Amino acid sequence: MTSQKSYRSAFILLTLLFFLWGFITVLVDSLIPRLRELFTLTYFQAGLVQFAFFGAYFLLSIPASYILSKIGYKRGIILGLSTMALGCLLFYPAASYRVFGVFMLAYFVLAAGMTVLQVAANPFVSVLGPEESASSRLNLSQAFNSLGTAIAPAVGALFILSDVVKTKTEIAQLEATAKEAYLTSEASAVQMPFLGLAIFIGLIAIMFLFAKLPEMISEKSTGSYFDVLKNKKVMQGVLGLFFYVGAEVAIGSYLVNYFLDMNLVSVIKENGFMVFIAESILNSGLANSDNKAIVGVFVTFYWSGAMIGRFLGAYLTKIMKPGKVLAIFATIAISLIILSISTVGLVSMWSILAVGLFNSIMFPTIFTLAIDGIGALKPKASGLLCTAIVGGAIIPPTFGFLTDQMAFKKALLLIVCCYAYIVWFGYKNGKAKIKIA
């Protein structure tokens, strides 16, 4: 029988995984504005980065469940971590040779490993202790996931976006020695953070190799995926998660470019409080920082809002029906986006950043509402719901395409439509009294 100490150690390791994939998911957003300049990409082409990353969830969520059933969850976690480390290492040659296709491959391999971890870690957390406290354990782990997403933008701004990227024409005009020095420096800015991540992930994999984890507790499931596909509420939930993940990722991915498009750098430099915030995070004067880094540091507030909102949402879902809380949060998100569209300057910036606060409870609430009351179909429904994360692969490039055609302000109406569906889903399921994990 596994001891309480073993449970505690295993829980700490698994919570570290939640932090890790939250951190990496947002860190890759920092590369989008850099890759756009490096390869002279359109906003649509830059959005294909997220297509490669989140497409892995669509393709591999159900296969990952099958693999885990064959090799076990402990080996599955080690496999996922090893795959993630390989993906991070692929950024090294991608940056050295400046090949966009290798960057895309690195993103896909990294996300493939994270997909396996997503499928494995959630059920493990639920069995690490008494059943009655499973909900609080999941809440704590997901809070650390939000912590990772909150820290990542600042790290990306500091290490990935802090220098100026030259165009292909500017590079061609450099002398041989200067060109080689520039390319080496440019590659290093991308290579070092991901090389460090590969080493860190490798160490975690070694820790899991020697960790004592309890046997997985699972219920025998009945029914087929066809039965799940015929369940209207589950399919409505799949669509809800698709729109939610797509909207959240699209906003987070393009915030830096959106702020640059509104010329917010000059606005920030003229505001003493904003300068203080930026310099505190960058740990340097704004005169020495690239414009992308200056606006990039404020993306931290978008993702940290999700962490704060999760605690608020956890309380509200105890005193209100979760479906109604979901609908209210989505309605506020729509209002904030419309405010950002309708205004300029700091009002527009802070209103779009505040959307992160109301994204907080959407994933677990939609997920739990979708599987409520379906009995033995839950395991298969959960696998199907995880594939909806592919929204992060479809919505961002679509948003990028619309931005190329009619600029950011009008393109944001697509995101409004995504949240409008979530409002409908929340009100439709407003009578459910389930507890949100």
Side-chain angles (χ1 to χ4, degrees):
M1 184 174 181
T2 307
S3 67
Q4 286 298 111
K5 184 177 181 181
S6 298
Y7 278 137
R8 193 181 306 114
S9 299
F11 177 72
I12 292 171
L13 281 175
L14 288 168
T15 299
L16 185 59
L17 294 185
F18 278 79
F19 172 85
L20 186 64
W21 75 58
F23 178 85
I24 292 177
T25 299
V26 177
L27 184 66
V28 298
D29 291 344
S30 300
L31 271 179
I32 291 180
R34 189 175 196 89
L35 293 178
R36 185 170 177 270
E37 292 182 339
L38 192 62
F39 296 103
T40 319
L41 304 174
T42 63
Y43 286 117
F44 169 72
Q45 291 170 325
L48 291 177
V49 169
Q50 297 292 21
F51 182 84
F53 189 82
F54 286 94
Y57 285 93
F58 176 73
L59 294 174
L60 302 175
S61 287
I62 294 176
S65 299
Y66 176 78
I67 292 172
L68 290 170
S69 70
K70 295 298 182 182
I71 67 174
Y73 279 76
K74 180 176 177 177
R75 289 192 183 97
I77 289 174
I78 295 172
L79 173 64
L81 287 167
S82 301
T83 306
M84 286 175 63
L86 175 61
C88 289
L89 290 174
L90 283 174
F91 281 97
Y92 202 94
S96 293
Y97 297 105
R98 299 165 72 92
V99 179
F100 186 60
V102 182
F103 272 110
M104 297 283 278
L105 176 62
Y107 274 109
F108 184 84
V109 173
L110 179 60
M114 292 173 64
T115 301
V116 177
L117 289 184
Q118 288 268 22
V119 175
N122 282 291
F124 242 129
V125 170
S126 67
V127 301
L128 291 177
E131 184 179 351
E132 60 270 19
S133 61
S135 177
S136 62
R137 289 194 300 276
L138 282 170
N139 265 313
L140 181 58
S141 293
Q142 290 172 3
F144 275 89
N145 178 270
S146 297
L147 178 62
T149 63
I151 293 174
V155 174
L158 187 60
F159 292 101
I160 297 177
L161 299 177
S162 57
D163 63 331
V164 178
V165 178
K166 296 182 183 297
T167 64
K168 291 182 179 180
T169 303
E170 291 173 332
I171 294 172
Q173 294 173 347
L174 293 174
E175 296 180 357
T177 304
K179 181 179 180 180
E180 183 178 354
Y182 170 75
L183 292 178
T184 301
S185 174
E186 180 66 19
S188 179
V190 174
Q191 289 170 335
M192 298 316 294
F194 284 94
L195 181 60
L197 276 174
I199 295 172
F200 182 62
I201 292 169
L203 292 174
I204 296 176
I206 293 173
M207 293 170 68
F208 269 99
L209 184 63
F210 295 101
K212 292 183 179 180
L213 300 178
E215 292 292 328
M216 271 299 300
I217 300 171
S218 60
E219 297 180 3
K220 184 177 179 181
S221 62
T222 59
S224 67
Y225 281 106
F226 290 105
D227 295 319
V228 177
L229 290 171
K230 290 187 293 185
N231 188 296
K232 288 184 179 180
K233 187 170 67 169
V234 172
M235 297 312 298
Q236 289 167 356
V238 168
L239 198 55
L241 286 181
F242 177 89
F243 285 134
Y244 158 69
V245 175
E248 181 185 50
V249 173
I251 293 174
S253 298
Y254 287 99
L255 278 178
V256 171
N257 293 114
Y258 180 42
F259 294 161
L260 291 174
D261 184 69
M262 289 194 292
N263 297 314
L264 285 179
V265 175
S266 58
V267 177
I268 291 171
K269 288 182 176 180
E270 292 173 0
N271 186 292
F273 180 67
M274 300 293 286
V275 170
F276 172 76
I277 293 174
E279 289 186 342
S280 297
I281 297 176
L282 287 172
N283 197 28
S284 66
L286 297 192
N288 300 321
S289 300
D290 181 61
N291 289 344
K292 297 187 302 302
I294 294 173
V295 295
V297 297
F298 291 96
V299 180
T300 301
F301 293 96
Y302 175 73
W303 296 108
S304 60
M307 178 175 60
I308 297 169
R310 181 154 186 79
F311 292 108
L312 174 63
Y315 170 73
L316 290 176
T317 51
K318 288 181 180 180
I319 62 174
M320 296 174 62
K321 292 175 181 177
K324 289 185 178 180
V325 177
L326 175 66
I328 292 170
F329 272 40
T331 300
I332 296 174
I334 290 173
S335 302
L336 289 168
I337 294 171
I338 293 175
L339 178 61
S340 183
I341 293 172
S342 307
T343 57
V344 294
L346 296 181
V347 173
S348 182
M349 186 186 86
W350 285 112
S351 57
I352 197 73
L353 289 175
V355 173
L357 180 67
F358 299 95
N359 281 334
S360 53
I361 66 158
M362 290 188 184
F363 189 99
T365 306
I366 295 170
F367 194 99
T368 315
L369 287 171
I371 65 174
D372 181 47
I374 63 172
L377 286 175
K378 284 184 179 180
K380 289 183 173 63
S382 296
L384 191 62
L385 285 162
C386 283
T387 65
I389 295 175
V390 74
I394 304 299
I395 301 297
T398 304
F399 177 77
F401 174 77
L402 293 175
T403 301
D404 289 328
Q405 302 303 311
M406 54 188 185
F408 277 106
K409 297 285 188 180
K410 292 180 180 178
L412 279 169
L413 293 175
L414 170 66
I415 310 303
V416 170
C417 292
C418 292
Y419 284 114
Y421 176 86
I422 297 172
V423 172
W424 173 83
F425 180 81
Y427 276 119
K428 183 175 176 61
N429 294 277
K431 295 181 179 180
K433 298 181 179 180
I434 49 126
K435 293 182 178 180
I436 302 304

